[in-house]
Amino acid sequence: MSSPGKGLAQVIRHPPLRVLLAIAALAVVAVALVGGLRGTRGKTLATHGAGAVIDAGALELTPLRAWISDVRPGRDRPSSFGPSERYLVLQVRALNRSDSSQAGGFALHNSILWLPVLPGEGIRPESVSRSDDHGTYYHLPPLLPTGIDLVWVVPADWTPDAETQWGVRAVRFKSRTWLTGGSEWLPAEQLAKLVLPLEERRAMEAGP
Amino acid sequence: MNVRRRPRWLPHWLPRWRDLLLAMLALVAIVVLRNAEPAYNERLLPIVLDGGVEQRIQARNFAVEAKRPKLAHAYLVDGGALAPDPRRVATAGIWLSVVADVEALRVPGLVGARIRTRDGLLYQGNQDRPATAVNFIGKTLDPGLPVTGAWFFELPPGQVEGARLQLFWGPYDGLGGIDHLVDIDLGLDATRTRQLLDEAPAALDLRG
């Protein structure tokens, strides 16, 4: 009876197994080359304030101001229905650099996340509307800079920190996706953190 | 017959050379066939019907005759029941409008529209920009009842030259697929575009 070490040495010397081992090693190298082994933990994101121009792939974003109010943008008084709630608003200038209004609208809803607790999950805006007419549209025309209000509904008794943080995520073009094999604009890597002071606005001054 | 016997020391789960070779060939075939397969959106590419302005074009479910396009810097629309003053609908670019006669031919439904620029950018209109009765976006057409209305698009002035109007059955381009896409040459050559830009009114009244 041969020893286990000798048996293992015989197995490793067998050509098909060598090929299998080589394929496994190549697969690990390929995964490493496409970034599969790169961890995201500990990556420090750049922090930007108002006025910074951020390249977020499909969108070029410029955060302008942030405020908390008891009225939605475009309204002049709090809702008289339902429980009292407040609105956290981040106003940005967005330039759609994708190839379509549709992709720009998708990117608007996916590029900026509110970060109420760190570390923790970001929260997508509850509504996205234009700053000028306060309309809610799901398209953003390419190459036309547009003022946008991103709104999060918060409890009336929520006390904000002096500075509020948002995360910016890129939306990038994939010429071939695994799911359909077609081309799509998809949410991609985290890019930056926005830190803006919060203004407190009262009913009649909710709009910019 | 000379049959090579499997070595005793070789574990039963290890493949032999011939099996390994067949498996590799199958893998290569899978990759080659998968790459040659048309993508989901390529399989749903529409059938393009070319046409021009002042020309009736008949698609599978609708017929259209588009008039010559107009440009304007802003529109004036009704302010609403509680606001007697007209509301100005402005844009960071310029408004392009196309008046058309459209008729559903078989079943009730919507005709979607977009502008395709020389650079391949796609601009879609919004039913509330401008919010006017003649805006075709979101309007359901009934068979046998031709309707006159208009599509409105906002785009950068530099994208007007060479822009084409594309119409399709249904509200979402690309999702229905394998249907007619009417592609209308709006006649926006360099001379015509310059003339339209020079003549564009500061505000075109769409009221009443």
Side-chain angles (χ1 to χ4, degrees):
Chain A
M1 197 173 75
S2 62
S3 68
K6 196 176 169 191
L8 189 64
Q10 277 180 326
V11 169
I12 288 173
R13 271 203 298 275
H14 193 62
L17 184 61
R18 286 190 180 183
V19 173
L20 282 178
L21 288 173
I23 291 172
L26 280 175
V28 171
V29 170
V31 168
L33 280 178
V34 298
L37 303 181
R38 203 168 41 224
T40 53
R41 266 178 208 285
K43 186 181 167 189
T44 312
L45 298 175
T47 302
H48 300 288
V53 180
I54 301 161
D55 173 4
L59 299 180
E60 183 183 278
L61 292 166
T62 308
L64 300 175
R65 57 189 67 85
W67 68 88
I68 181 101
S69 174
D70 53 356
V71 291
R72 273 186 185 276
R75 306 264 174 88
D76 58 5
R77 64 192 66 188
S79 169
S80 51
F81 303 102
S84 182
E85 52 193 21
R86 304 186 86 202
Y87 305 95
L88 172 67
V89 185
L90 173 65
Q91 191 172 70
V92 300
R93 185 168 53 242
L95 181 69
N96 176 6
R97 298 189 310 180
S98 77
D99 57 351
S100 70
S101 308
Q102 211 170 354
F106 171 79
L108 258 188
H109 286 80
N110 287 279
S111 291
I112 296 185
L113 304 170
W114 175 36
L115 303 172
V117 181
L118 285 175
E121 290 291 310
I123 301 173
R124 284 166 40 144
E126 184 256 355
S127 71
V128 177
S129 55
R130 287 179 65 111
S131 305
D132 50 6
D133 63 9
H134 309 291
T136 300
Y137 311 109
Y138 294 94
H139 294 136
L140 182 69
L143 304 181
L144 284 178
T146 307
I148 298 289
D149 292 340
L150 301 130
V151 181
W152 289 263
V153 179
V154 296
D157 57 355
W158 178 69
T159 311
D161 296 329
E163 288 183 323
T164 306
Q165 300 195 32
W166 289 267
V168 180
R169 187 167 58 173
V171 171
R172 299 203 185 279
F173 184 71
K174 284 259 183 192
S175 57
R176 197 174 174 90
T177 60
W178 287 108
L179 186 62
T180 66
S183 55
E184 270 181 80
W185 288 86
L186 292 172
E189 79 278 11
Q190 293 173 11
L191 279 179
K193 228 164 41 175
L194 306 179
V195 180
L196 276 84
L198 268 191
E199 301 166 28
E200 178 77 37
R201 293 194 178 183
R202 297 186 192 286
M204 294 307 287
E205 55 185 30
Chain B
M1 197 167 61
N2 183 21
V3 178
R4 288 181 63 189
R5 292 185 60 189
R6 196 178 180 85
R8 279 189 192 158
W9 52 266
L10 191 63
H12 68 280
W13 47 267
L14 266 185
R16 297 178 66 170
W17 268 116
R18 192 181 54 191
D19 305 333
L20 199 61
L21 189 65
L22 284 174
M24 291 301 292
L25 282 174
L27 272 177
V28 169
I30 288 169
V31 171
V32 168
L33 289 172
R34 167 84 177 151
N35 283 335
E37 186 186 19
Y40 178 73
N41 39 7
E42 286 169 346
R43 271 177 273 163
L44 296 180
L45 280 179
I47 301 152
V48 179
L49 288 178
D50 283 316
V53 291
E54 315 284 358
Q55 177 189 342
R56 183 177 161 92
I57 305 160
Q58 187 165 325
R60 183 181 66 86
N61 248 350
F62 67 97
V64 61
E65 183 176 333
K67 314 296 180 195
R68 298 202 170 276
K70 285 182 184 169
L71 298 181
H73 292 281
Y75 294 122
L76 294 180
V77 296
D78 285 323
L82 301 176
D85 294 332
R87 194 164 58 82
R88 184 184 163 90
V89 186
T91 173
I94 197 153
W95 285 103
L96 183 151
S97 62
V98 183
V99 173
D101 299 325
V102 186
E103 181 184 356
L105 298 177
R106 288 144 48 102
V107 290
L110 309 169
V111 174
R114 67 188 186 193
I115 287 288
R116 183 181 170 92
T117 69
R118 275 178 310 171
D119 303 337
L121 302 180
L122 299 175
Y123 289 83
Q124 280 176 315
N126 283 302
Q127 65 183 32
D128 293 326
R129 274 181 73 76
T132 165
V134 295
N135 192 337
F136 262 138
I137 307 277
K139 287 259 162 57
T140 301
L141 305 170
D142 292 310
L145 296 173
V147 178
T148 301
W151 287 287
F152 303 89
F153 307 93
E154 47 187 321
L155 54 163
Q159 298 288 340
V160 173
E161 188 186 331
R164 298 173 75 92
L165 176 67
Q166 296 192 323
L167 306 171
F168 43 90
W169 183 251
Y172 307 111
D173 57 328
L175 293 183
I178 325 179
D179 202 346
H180 279 149
L181 176 77
V182 174
D183 187 55
I184 297 175
D185 180 357
L186 294 173
L188 291 167
D189 57 18
T191 311
R192 180 70 184 146
T193 303
R194 206 175 314 115
Q195 185 188 356
L196 283 175
L197 284 168
D198 290 344
E199 293 170 355
L204 190 63
D205 198 341
L206 298 177
R207 286 174 295 167

